[in-house]
Amino acid sequence: MNENILNLLYCLDSKYDIQALISINSFLKNYDKDLNLHFIHENSNSLKKYKEKILINKKVKDINFYDFNPHEKKIIDNLPLKIKHVSKATYFRLFLESYLKDDVKRLLYLDPDVITIRNTTSILEKKFKELNESNFTIGATNYLISDNSENRKLIKNLNMNSNLYFNAGVMLIDFEKWSKNNLKLKLLEEPSSKIIEFGDQDFLNSYFDGKFLELGFDFNYPIKESLYSKNQKNIEKSVYFIHYQGAEKPWTPSGLFRNSSVYYHNYYIFDNLKQYHIVFEDNEKLMSLLKKIGYKNFLKPKNLHKFLFLIKSFFNKIVR
């Protein structure tokens, strides 16, 4: 394997298959070189049916599917996860050595709700070079930019010495350093006696404790609808990766009507009959759904098509 080739990794279960495919499509549109794809999956059969469609893009040289080991599944079943919209699959990242081969060097991890909106070829070359020449194993974006009681509590709960805490949704990983240091065993030893709020992200931060290559928010921009109109021009000028954090995702019915969801839906090409990707909750009622979205959203001319798509999709779901 070419040591300089980029390896793109997702850790997920079947509920996030389409989201990961949209994320991949956005990355491929904004990266000019060859790459290999890796999926650590709860049951990869649901994702493998899209393999040929992915391989249409000639930049993808290899796709690797790894089904998460049942023995390791028992381990993560006992680990805490307090955030409802986050899957246990997020813990798969702690077990990279069990799945990826030693010839993987430059590894980019993305959450399925991360969308690439600007060309990343040059900046990734630059940052991976910095990472390789440093003593750091990973590069990530520090999310603690202010001193407040909530942030101090987070650091204290994890018994950390630094005031740096990264979001793990986008990580540059020097996998050679990762595997040589046997990080799987060390990471799992970490915060067993500590207060875990954010799953494996806390495990990772507790272990690295500020020792990571700091990337700017242009590498992991937490997009917020309330600030989107004000920041849109700057986002499209300077941001590489946007991250749809929180429970209100662009594929939820209410998320569909958010202006900031445009980046996600622009890259949805996996069903030629649809323009949007939407996921309904089980036993969702139409009237409560419309009330949650807000009736004023339906009166805007630009939202008419979304409204019709929502209604049609809802009744199609009932028929099925």
Side-chain angles (χ1 to χ4, degrees):
M1 181 186 292
N2 181 357
E3 290 187 0
N4 293 318
I5 196 169
L6 181 68
N7 292 272
L8 180 57
L9 169 68
Y10 291 85
C11 298
L12 68 158
D13 56 32
S14 58
K15 291 182 179 179
Y16 278 81
D17 284 347
I18 299 299
Q19 291 87 334
L21 292 169
I22 294 171
S23 178
I24 291 165
N25 186 41
S26 74
F27 186 83
L28 291 172
K29 295 283 188 181
N30 290 288
Y31 187 72
D32 300 330
K33 295 189 175 184
D34 294 341
L35 74 157
N36 297 322
L37 278 171
H38 303 267
F39 301 97
I40 303 178
H41 203 287
E42 186 176 46
N43 182 356
S44 64
N45 286 332
S46 64
L47 190 58
K48 285 179 179 177
K49 62 185 178 182
Y50 297 102
K51 181 177 180 179
E52 295 305 317
K53 185 161 258 187
I54 297 171
L55 286 171
I56 290 174
N57 191 306
K58 299 305 180 183
K59 286 180 281 191
V60 180
K61 296 305 175 185
D62 193 19
I63 303 180
N64 299 279
F65 299 93
Y66 315 95
D67 285 332
F68 198 65
N69 185 290
H71 171 70
E72 293 175 335
K73 177 71 163 53
K74 291 179 181 178
I75 296 174
I76 68 169
D77 282 342
N78 293 318
L79 297 176
L81 191 65
K82 295 185 177 181
I83 308 174
K84 291 182 179 180
H85 66 269
V86 175
S87 161
K88 279 279 187 178
T90 186
Y91 276 109
F92 294 177
R93 291 180 289 191
L94 304 185
F95 298 84
L96 298 184
E97 296 149 77
S98 298
Y99 303 94
L100 301 182
K101 297 177 182 178
D102 291 339
D103 56 3
V104 171
K105 305 298 181 186
R106 304 188 333 168
L107 182 64
L108 173 63
Y109 170 84
L110 297 181
D111 275 349
D113 57 1
V114 170
I115 300 295
T116 313
I117 65 170
R118 202 157 65 94
N119 194 284
T120 62
T121 312
S122 297
I123 192 65
L124 284 174
E125 290 285 327
K126 178 183 177 182
K127 292 301 179 181
F128 268 111
K129 186 174 186 293
E130 287 181 26
L131 181 61
N132 178 254
E133 294 174 352
S134 74
N135 293 321
F136 300 124
T137 301
I138 66 167
T141 301
N142 172 39
Y143 266 34
L144 296 194
I145 58 174
S146 61
D147 181 21
N148 56 54
S149 59
E150 186 175 336
N151 288 344
R152 288 193 294 271
K153 181 182 178 182
L154 175 63
I155 296 298
K156 182 180 179 181
N157 285 345
L158 295 175
N159 296 333
M160 291 170 58
N161 295 314
S162 77
N163 290 317
L164 301 177
Y165 181 95
F166 62 85
N167 178 278
V170 178
M171 291 194 297
L172 276 62
I173 302 172
D174 185 328
F175 188 64
E176 187 173 23
K177 294 174 187 172
W178 181 292
S179 55
K180 281 183 178 179
N181 289 322
N182 297 313
L183 285 198
K184 181 177 75 171
L185 296 176
K186 293 176 181 178
L187 287 167
L188 290 172
E189 287 173 359
E190 273 309 299
S192 57
S193 61
K194 304 172 186 178
I195 300 174
I196 304 301
E197 295 288 337
F198 299 104
D200 69 312
Q201 183 170 277
D202 282 354
F203 280 72
L204 290 162
N205 273 280
S206 178
Y207 173 77
F208 288 109
D209 199 356
K211 296 181 177 65
F212 60 93
L213 177 67
E214 284 194 62
L215 307 175
F217 274 96
D218 52 342
F219 262 79
N220 190 342
Y221 185 85
I223 196 160
K224 298 183 184 298
E225 179 69 14
S226 59
L227 301 174
Y228 175 64
S229 296
K230 178 182 177 181
N231 296 336
Q232 181 180 0
K233 289 184 179 179
N234 186 55
I235 291 170
E236 295 174 357
K237 179 181 178 181
S238 61
V239 170
Y240 297 102
F241 300 100
I242 61 169
H243 193 173
Y244 289 102
Q245 297 178 321
E248 184 92 337
K249 304 296 187 183
W251 57 84
T252 62
S254 52
L256 173 66
F257 289 87
R258 292 184 170 229
N259 293 325
S260 57
S261 73
V262 62
Y263 305 109
Y264 179 81
H265 294 287
N266 275 353
Y267 288 104
Y268 180 45
I269 62 166
F270 294 95
D271 187 335
N272 294 330
L273 300 178
K274 297 180 181 178
Q275 289 183 271
Y276 308 107
H277 174 230
I278 190 167
V279 178
F280 296 98
E281 294 182 8
D282 294 336
N283 302 318
E284 199 156 25
K285 305 296 183 184
L286 181 59
M287 293 310 295
S288 59
L289 179 63
L290 297 179
K291 185 176 180 181
K292 182 180 179 181
I293 293 170
Y295 295 108
K296 64 179 181 179
N297 280 307
F298 307 138
L299 300 176
K300 299 176 182 177
K302 65 178 181 178
N303 285 340
L304 177 60
H305 191 270
K306 289 182 179 181
F307 174 66
L308 295 175
F309 175 82
L310 175 75
I311 298 298
K312 181 180 178 180
S313 300
F314 183 85
F315 286 109
N316 285 342
K317 174 186 76 90
I318 294 175
V319 171
R320 286 196 300 268

